[in-house]
Amino acid sequence: MAVSGFEGFEKRLELHFFGDDPTVMDQLDGHKKNKGLLGLRLLDFDSLQLVLRAVQCTVVSAVGNHYFDSYVLSESSLFVYPGKIIIKTCGTTQLLKSVRPLIHHARHLGLSLSSVRYTRGNFIFPESQPFPHTSFKEEVVYLEDSLPKGLRFRKASVMPSKTLTHSWHVFTASTDIDLGDVFTIEICMTELDKASAGKFFRRPADGKSGDSAGKDMTEATGIGSISPSALICDFAFDPCGYSMNGIDGDRYSTIHVTPEDGYSYASFETVASRGDDVARVLKKVAQVFRPATMSVSTTSASREVWGRVASALEPLGLKRRSCAVDEFPATGTVVYQTFSNRRK
Amino acid sequence: MAEQNQVVGCHTQESWLDHFQKGKDSKKLVVVDFTASWCGPCRFIAPILTDLAKKWTDVTFLKVDVDELKEVAEEWKIDAMPTLLFLKEGKVVDKIVGARKEELLAKVEKHAVVAAA
């Protein structure tokens, strides 16, 4: 591609930690049960800013509840729980440069890394990516070098689809088997419907702050109804683009939109457990953005969720084009499915 | 007054009620920051509030730790931090949930100007 636009596809990193000291462990466990406090949330804001500077992004807004802290970044999002960090960044950020400093800062809090999961889709403008994101191979080498030896269960895999523009890159490393009962859903959407994408452009000189323009977009697009009980922290960029983090008890959700024609992109991510109505959420997301192509990746201890994805999306005219399944040691099963509408 | 130009921490129920009443009587704008020691986003907004308190000497800035004054946090239904309540004559005129810098600057300006007029 001759002209490069903004890279919507995010890189995503999830790091889990455990306490060396049993009292730290008690605090982390206590937190899960009700409101525990400490762990990684004690990272001081200056350290966090230094990590973000290495990645090349900044905080635009933030909120916390009894379970975790949520940050909307200039390029996507960050979530800090007592025992885990999820950081997702788009554009030409250097996400993997956060791994070493995060391990270092956590160590000062008495926490050691127990698992890592790195995922991303296919960049629209791969030639614009800086080191170490120049290729998946390069990323894996960089990650391997950054990780402690104890994370011995490792695997890197590129999961294909039938569309050349979509594939799913996964790297996992873990010290031990730790399969929780929640699963993560990561959705990447391209070629958004023009009318839907148009709602993420601001009027020139609208006189609003990014916060209030963001709030208006949340309302106008129907994003507010995806998870009605969540508290939403939203932000609209100038002249276009949107980010939001939803917080609902110990669960997060996050949406990022790059609406420009030619490389329009939107992502949605959340965590859920078995009893949750995932189908309703998927439908709402598809209706807000009306993408021509949509990929859905689920990471969980079981394979059970993937069928629900297709049965939610197919009635909306999104036909499943591919489904790839891969097992990751000590992490679980990743199911990667792609859908496209009849316009294609 | 010693407490002017700074964010005043209310550490007891009495001190909170006292400052709340003073604000109510003064008819000035009172901005209350509900915060928690373990909340990262609260640390992000704290220096911004400190600067605002220096600039807007006619506005009272109060700080309440939700663990220290649990009853107060419950009474005002605070479940995310920071929550900023804008009070006039004891009533909530506006509210911001989260560390939203631009919105905070705009709302302090809006309500402070109305209060002064």
Side-chain angles (χ1 to χ4, degrees):
Chain A
M1 225 169 281
V3 185
S4 188
F6 189 81
E7 181 60 63
F9 274 95
E10 298 97 349
K11 312 156 179 105
R12 179 192 186 274
L13 200 54
E14 178 166 335
L15 306 169
H16 289 239
F17 294 85
F18 69 98
D20 306 331
D21 172 351
T23 59
V24 176
M25 261 340 255
D26 286 348
Q27 284 159 2
L28 294 181
D29 281 348
H31 185 91
K32 278 182 203 154
K33 282 173 201 121
N34 56 66
K35 34 172 105 160
L37 313 167
L38 306 157
L40 296 163
R41 295 182 82 181
L42 286 179
L43 268 179
D44 63 279
F45 192 66
D46 287 341
S47 304
L48 216 49
Q49 274 184 311
L50 281 175
V51 173
L52 294 175
R53 195 177 300 160
V55 174
Q56 286 171 7
C57 57
T58 54
V59 172
V60 298
S61 84
V63 71
N65 68 6
H66 285 294
Y67 301 92
F68 67 106
D69 292 331
S70 136
Y71 297 86
V72 174
L73 305 177
S74 54
E75 269 91 1
S76 310
S77 291
L78 165 70
F79 301 98
V80 182
Y81 287 76
K84 72 176 173 198
I85 283 185
I86 295 152
I87 174 168
K88 187 169 183 175
T89 65
C90 59
T92 52
T93 48
Q94 293 166 287
L95 178 63
L96 294 182
K97 290 201 170 171
S98 66
V99 177
R100 274 201 186 99
L102 284 172
I103 295 173
H104 169 82
H105 291 304
R107 183 139 282 290
H108 281 283
L109 299 169
L111 299 165
S112 299
L113 192 66
S114 59
S115 74
V116 174
R117 176 154 55 95
Y118 175 67
T119 51
R120 69 163 172 88
N122 242 14
F123 296 127
I124 302 172
F125 306 106
E127 64 287 348
S128 302
Q129 289 297 320
F131 176 82
H133 298 284
T134 38
S135 70
F136 186 56
K137 202 176 159 192
E138 199 78 67
E139 291 173 314
V140 171
V141 169
Y142 189 88
L143 263 166
E144 297 256 19
D145 284 350
S146 308
L147 300 178
K149 298 251 181 312
L151 281 79
R152 60 186 198 282
F153 298 104
R154 300 186 182 194
K155 180 170 172 174
S157 173
V158 181
M159 302 174 70
S161 78
K162 287 196 175 129
T163 346
L164 280 174
T165 51
H166 282 257
S167 61
W168 196 239
H169 305 71
V170 186
F171 172 86
T172 65
S174 184
T175 49
D176 228 327
I177 292 150
D178 177 28
L179 302 176
D181 58 348
V182 294
F183 52 87
T184 314
I185 304 171
E186 293 166 76
I187 299 177
C188 302
M189 293 164 276
T190 50
E191 297 164 80
L192 311 181
D193 167 70
K194 282 201 178 138
S196 307
K199 295 177 185 165
F200 296 96
F201 282 84
R202 290 172 65 170
R203 287 210 180 85
D206 60 9
K208 292 178 194 163
S209 68
D211 297 315
S212 67
K215 202 174 261 176
D216 294 346
M217 284 182 190
T218 303
E219 285 286 311
T221 55
I223 285 175
S225 68
I226 296 174
S227 314
S229 57
L231 167 75
I232 289 176
C233 211
D234 36 20
F235 195 88
F237 296 92
D238 201 12
C240 66
Y242 167 91
S243 283
M244 81 81 151
N245 287 343
I247 73 171
D248 193 358
D250 62 348
R251 304 286 175 81
Y252 70 87
S253 58
T254 183
I255 291 177
H256 302 282
V257 187
T258 303
E260 288 104 320
D261 200 22
Y263 48 92
S264 65
Y265 172 85
S267 69
F268 172 83
E269 174 183 332
T270 194
V271 279
S273 39
R274 274 187 194 178
D276 295 339
D277 192 356
V278 176
R280 196 197 67 83
V281 171
L282 285 169
K283 277 191 184 128
K284 286 265 179 199
V285 171
Q287 282 162 344
V288 167
F289 298 104
R290 300 164 47 82
T293 309
M294 179 167 181
S295 77
V296 183
S297 158
T298 50
T299 305
S300 66
S302 74
R303 294 180 176 210
E304 175 257 348
V305 291
W306 67 270
R308 283 153 66 189
V309 174
S311 54
L313 296 176
E314 295 210 315
L316 301 177
L318 285 158
K319 199 172 173 343
R320 184 161 67 192
R321 306 292 174 182
S322 70
C323 177
V325 181
D326 207 345
E327 305 281 344
F328 291 82
T331 300
T333 308
V334 176
V335 182
Y336 177 66
Q337 305 178 78
T338 57
F339 298 84
S340 66
N341 66 12
R342 296 202 181 91
R343 283 182 279 177
K344 293 213 122 183
Chain B
M1 216 163 86
E3 288 182 344
Q4 228 170 16
N5 306 336
Q6 55 176 307
V7 181
V8 180
C10 301
H11 301 288
T12 63
Q13 186 84 14
E14 293 70 42
S15 138
W16 159 252
L17 288 174
D18 182 38
H19 281 103
F20 177 77
Q21 192 59 46
K22 267 190 208 155
K24 198 171 172 179
D25 298 341
S26 76
K27 303 194 168 155
K28 283 183 189 167
L29 174 66
V30 179
V31 178
V32 191
D33 173 22
F34 284 90
T35 181
S37 58
W38 37 264
C39 161
C42 298
R43 298 191 280 272
F44 169 56
I45 208 76
I48 297 161
L49 282 165
T50 307
D51 287 347
L52 281 171
K54 277 185 201 139
K55 187 182 168 197
W56 296 96
T57 50
D58 257 358
V59 178
T60 307
F61 287 88
L62 303 178
K63 192 169 82 178
V64 171
D65 184 305
V66 298
D67 291 317
E68 210 167 56
L69 300 184
K70 276 206 178 81
E71 294 83 0
V72 178
E74 273 165 27
E75 185 191 335
W76 296 90
K77 299 187 170 54
I78 308 300
D79 51 14
M81 275 62 67
T83 292
L84 296 142
L85 292 184
F86 292 70
L87 305 176
K88 266 183 207 167
E89 298 181 46
K91 292 201 176 69
V92 178
V93 293
D94 218 327
K95 180 180 176 177
I96 301 175
V97 180
R100 299 164 73 92
K101 185 182 170 182
E102 284 186 37
E103 193 176 340
L104 174 61
L105 301 182
K107 285 194 169 165
V108 169
E109 179 153 0
K110 178 183 159 193
H111 296 293
V113 169
V114 176

